Amino acid sequence: MKYLKIRWIAVLLVAVGTSFFFGFKSGDNRSFQVAKNLDIFNSIVKELDMFYVDTIDPNKTIRTGIESMLYSLDPYTQYFPEDDQSELEQMLKNTYGGIGSIITWNTKLKRSMIAEPYEHMPAATVGLKAGDILMEIDGKDLAGKNNQEVSEMLRGQVGTSFKLKVQRPGTEQPLEFDIIVRRSIQLPFIPYYAMLDNNIGYINLSTFSGNPSKEFKQAFLDLKKQGITSLVIDLRNNGGGLLDEAVEIANFFLPRGKTLVTTKGKIKQASNTYKTLREPLDLEIPLAVLVNSATASASEILAGALQDYDRAVVVGNRTFGKGLVQTTRPLPYGGTMKLTTSKYYIPSGRCVQAIDYKHRNEDGSVGRIPDSLTTVFHTAAGREVRDGGGVTPDITVKQDKLPNILFYLVNDNLIFNYATEYCLKHPTIPAPKDFKITDADYADFKAMVQKADFKYDQQTEKILKNLKEMAEFEGYLTDASDEFKALEKKLSHNLERDLDHFSKDIKEMIAVEIIKRYYYQRGSIIQQLKDDKDLKEAVGILTAPEKYKEMLSVPPVKPDEGKKEK
């Protein structure tokens, strides 16, 4: 029936497209081109269906064409057919029907396994643990199924149940969980908030999807009762969500009637102005906002608006730079299209969009707008800010680069596997703020890595090999042979040395992986905040009132500035 329905649609579209083709005036070139190409597309589908040597899958073939067409515009314009509506709903509402866990791939066993159950969700409630290998769902063997396929089987209608069999490390026989009831899984809007030293409040906001403003308000008011005198809002790795939610949270700290966002699109309905509509919660409390390269969209609206009104000091690294707004449009047969309809502009008048999708390179690739082509705008106090490349922090914090070996340790599940073994030996651990990896723990980890015959690529060895080949090609190798031999000796692969040299970063990753087994996402955040450079900078500025005020005001003009030589 689906096949016949698609054939009928194709014939209908051909007929409609043909009528458009002959109906347009020669002067209406754009409409003519649209109708012409629709006619060509439908004819190609029809010819493929009738004459191609193999039987085509019309759903797959046309879906590929649709996705390629939309991706040529920007990565945010997407088509969701009727059977993919749950994915769209999760994106918009931050909810889905499932058991509440992250799954990952076990490369050795070639099966999916539980990576992280969410606190208070069905997976954690019934006793599933990180490291559990997923064997069967309702008696169906999961061998040969990838993560995506397993994830789809775990999800389903809220209230439905299923049986799950897992193989737990350290146990001989598989464990069977007879009844797991799927719930509406809502990822935490605020996985952690607390009062830090110096009466500084801290709120980690993970998303703007759903209704996070309500929880944010409750967290802020709770911290106020505890006696905070300043606040850090952590928007790092927050990919955005609903524009209205960003406006609502900004309104907590800005006066009523302030313009926060202006959207401008091709049609009138896509152009709007969003203002603060309510009385604020607090206009005086000093604010610092933490951002990084994964802070995007609605997060950039909040950070940028607070910066433009000189209401907060922004700390961290330049944000992602997504200044595009998407809306959803209904399509036939239960489908939906999420498409970019406008750009948004924050209070200073700037758009933070960093990638120019309209002007692509010859190979189809896109790049960031160069800083030389950005424009200067000004905050309410007159401070200079720029468009075209995300939100640039008031205080930029240089980030340490993670060592190459750490990537391979994570990718090979060695840190994950060590954490699993550690948990089998330790039923409980200290609170996150007191937990640490001891030297004895790290010695055990190194022994496990050595036993696993761990291998990894060293970038210096690759670069040296390429340099040596180029030197030989250009005739320099003979004269420089002694230097190359000395370098090769110094850069030789030494796993023991690398594990010791990069122990600080590796221990941090191990601690995070272990803590979240006991204290979930909240615990891992507490661990990561222990030695957080961005947070330290934020605390530094919030505990220096004069410096804080100076940073949010225009520097005084020196007597000689502005005078021209005659």
Side-chain angles (χ1 to χ4, degrees):
M1 289 298 291
K2 262 190 175 179
Y3 175 75
L4 292 174
K5 184 185 290 184
I6 290 173
R7 287 285 305 273
W8 178 81
I9 294 169
V11 173
L12 178 62
L13 285 172
V14 170
V16 173
T18 305
S19 67
F20 283 168
F21 185 85
F22 290 109
F24 289 121
K25 298 178 181 178
S26 59
D28 193 359
N29 186 58
R30 192 172 183 288
S31 298
F32 170 78
Q33 292 298 331
V34 170
K36 168 187 168 183
N37 284 286
L38 280 173
D39 196 15
I40 292 171
F41 178 81
N42 287 307
S43 295
I44 289 173
V45 173
K46 183 179 179 181
E47 295 298 314
L48 287 173
D49 189 39
M50 292 184 68
F51 299 112
Y52 186 68
V53 61
D54 295 318
T55 301
I56 68 168
D57 180 341
N59 289 321
K60 183 179 179 181
T61 302
I62 297 175
R63 178 75 180 269
T64 301
I66 290 172
E67 289 178 349
S68 297
M69 173 180 66
L70 298 182
Y71 193 77
S72 71
L73 303 174
D74 66 55
Y76 313 112
T77 299
Q78 297 173 280
Y79 165 59
F80 296 88
E82 185 178 15
D83 54 0
D84 279 355
Q85 293 300 299
S86 59
E87 181 182 348
L88 179 62
E89 184 176 356
Q90 180 188 349
M91 189 183 303
L92 297 175
K93 298 181 180 180
N94 200 40
T95 62
Y96 63 93
I99 65 172
S101 72
I102 298 173
I103 63 171
T104 191
W105 187 249
N106 186 301
T107 52
K108 184 178 179 180
L109 299 176
K110 299 190 183 310
R111 281 182 178 269
S112 296
M113 65 179 174
I114 300 291
E116 181 183 349
Y118 297 135
E119 192 171 12
H120 306 308
M121 292 292 112
T125 302
V126 300
L128 289 173
K129 296 183 181 296
D132 286 349
I133 307 299
L134 303 180
M135 306 299 290
E136 294 180 5
I137 294 178
D138 281 336
K140 297 177 182 176
D141 191 351
L142 300 179
K145 296 189 181 296
N146 59 36
N147 268 350
Q148 180 63 34
E149 292 170 318
V150 174
S151 178
E152 289 174 0
M153 293 176 71
L154 290 172
R155 295 185 182 189
Q157 191 71 30
V158 173
T160 57
S161 61
F162 63 95
K163 295 181 179 180
L164 179 66
K165 181 184 287 187
V166 304
Q167 181 66 59
R168 177 164 296 170
T171 61
E172 294 184 6
Q173 296 298 321
L175 302 178
E176 293 193 21
F177 296 86
D178 290 334
I179 300 176
I180 299 181
V181 179
R182 295 180 178 94
R183 281 177 50 191
S184 178
I185 307 300
Q186 180 172 289
L187 306 182
F189 301 133
I190 299 176
Y192 178 67
Y193 75 91
M195 185 168 77
L196 311 177
D197 294 336
N198 301 303
N199 295 325
I200 296 173
Y202 171 86
I203 299 177
N204 185 300
L205 181 61
S206 66
T207 182
F208 285 87
S209 296
N211 185 25
S213 60
K214 183 178 179 181
E215 284 192 21
F216 187 99
K217 180 179 180 180
Q218 291 172 345
F220 177 66
L221 293 177
D222 184 32
L223 290 172
K224 288 272 283 185
K225 288 180 181 178
Q226 295 180 43
I228 64 167
T229 55
S230 58
L231 177 67
V232 175
I233 303 172
D234 194 343
L235 298 180
R236 291 174 298 180
N237 303 313
N238 185 324
L242 302 178
L243 185 152
D244 288 339
E245 289 297 302
V247 172
E248 186 72 16
I249 293 175
N251 195 169
F252 296 155
F253 306 105
L254 292 169
R256 185 176 183 176
K258 291 287 186 181
T259 297
L260 291 182
V261 185
T262 302
T263 62
K264 298 178 182 178
K266 184 163 61 178
I267 61 173
K268 185 178 179 180
Q269 292 89 331
S271 300
N272 291 291
T273 298
Y274 297 81
K275 295 185 177 183
T276 53
L277 301 176
R278 311 176 197 283
E279 292 302 319
L281 297 178
D282 195 320
L283 292 177
E284 302 298 329
I285 190 169
L287 302 173
V289 179
L290 306 185
V291 298
N292 63 7
S293 59
T295 301
S297 192
S299 295
E300 293 174 289
I301 290 175
L302 177 57
L306 293 175
Q307 185 182 57
D308 282 356
Y309 280 119
D310 307 291
R311 184 64 186 86
V313 172
V314 180
V315 180
N317 282 229
R318 185 189 289 193
T319 62
F320 181 81
K322 180 177 181 290
L324 306 176
V325 180
Q326 286 74 45
T327 56
T328 57
R329 300 285 301 172
L331 295 175
Y333 298 96
T336 305
M337 182 162 65
K338 178 172 70 72
L339 73 160
T340 301
T341 53
S342 58
K343 293 182 178 180
Y344 71 77
Y345 300 81
I346 52 181
S348 62
R350 56 180 168 148
C351 178
V352 302
Q353 180 62 27
I355 299 177
D356 187 359
Y357 293 106
K358 189 175 182 181
H359 300 98
R360 292 178 177 265
N361 301 319
E362 290 185 4
D363 62 357
S365 63
V366 292
R368 292 179 68 92
I369 299 170
D371 289 344
S372 59
L373 296 182
T374 59
T375 305
V376 172
F377 291 80
H378 294 88
T379 69
R383 296 183 299 139
E384 287 191 359
V385 288
R386 286 185 172 270
D387 67 354
V391 175
T392 300
D394 301 304
I395 300 175
T396 298
V397 182
K398 185 178 180 180
Q399 300 297 315
D400 295 329
K401 291 185 178 179
L402 293 176
N404 187 44
I405 187 175
L406 187 57
F407 168 80
Y408 288 97
L409 289 170
V410 171
N411 192 59
D412 286 4
N413 285 329
L414 287 172
I415 290 178
F416 184 92
N417 292 341
Y418 175 77
T420 300
E421 291 184 10
Y422 184 96
C423 293
L424 291 173
K425 300 174 184 176
H426 300 81
T428 61
I429 62 171
K433 65 184 181 64
D434 300 319
F435 179 81
K436 66 177 183 178
I437 298 297
T438 66
D439 291 341
D441 294 333
Y442 194 61
D444 290 342
F445 172 74
K446 290 196 299 181
M448 187 197 77
V449 173
Q450 296 279 9
K451 186 178 179 182
D453 194 27
F454 172 62
K455 296 287 191 299
Y456 68 100
D457 293 330
Q458 287 187 307
Q459 296 303 310
T460 49
E461 288 183 354
K462 286 185 175 180
I463 293 170
L464 181 60
K465 181 181 178 182
N466 293 336
L467 179 62
K468 191 174 179 179
E469 291 174 352
M470 186 56 65
E472 183 178 18
F473 176 75
E474 296 185 348
Y476 298 123
L477 184 60
T478 302
D479 292 339
S481 60
D482 291 340
E483 287 82 355
F484 272 110
K485 287 178 182 177
L487 268 175
E488 286 172 343
K489 186 176 180 180
K490 285 183 176 293
L491 299 177
S492 61
H493 192 92
N494 188 325
L495 178 60
E496 181 74 23
R497 179 198 63 198
D498 289 348
L499 287 172
D500 288 337
H501 183 73
F502 297 112
S503 61
K504 182 177 180 294
D505 293 308
I506 297 172
K507 281 182 177 180
E508 167 67 18
M509 189 67 76
I510 294 172
V512 169
E513 186 61 46
I514 289 174
I515 285 174
K516 70 182 180 183
R517 306 290 181 100
Y518 300 88
Y519 298 100
Y520 302 97
Q521 190 178 3
R522 172 175 50 88
S524 68
I525 293 173
I526 295 172
Q527 171 63 27
Q528 292 173 76
L529 291 178
K530 289 179 183 178
D531 190 26
D532 191 311
K533 287 187 172 183
D534 295 345
L535 181 60
K536 287 180 180 179
E537 288 288 344
V539 169
I541 193 69
L542 290 175
T543 52
E546 293 303 317
K547 189 177 179 181
Y548 176 84
K549 290 179 182 178
E550 181 182 342
M551 184 164 286
L552 295 178
S553 61
V554 180
V557 179
K558 295 180 181 179
D560 294 336
E561 287 184 4
K563 293 183 179 180
K564 296 181 180 179
E565 294 184 4
K566 295 183 180 179

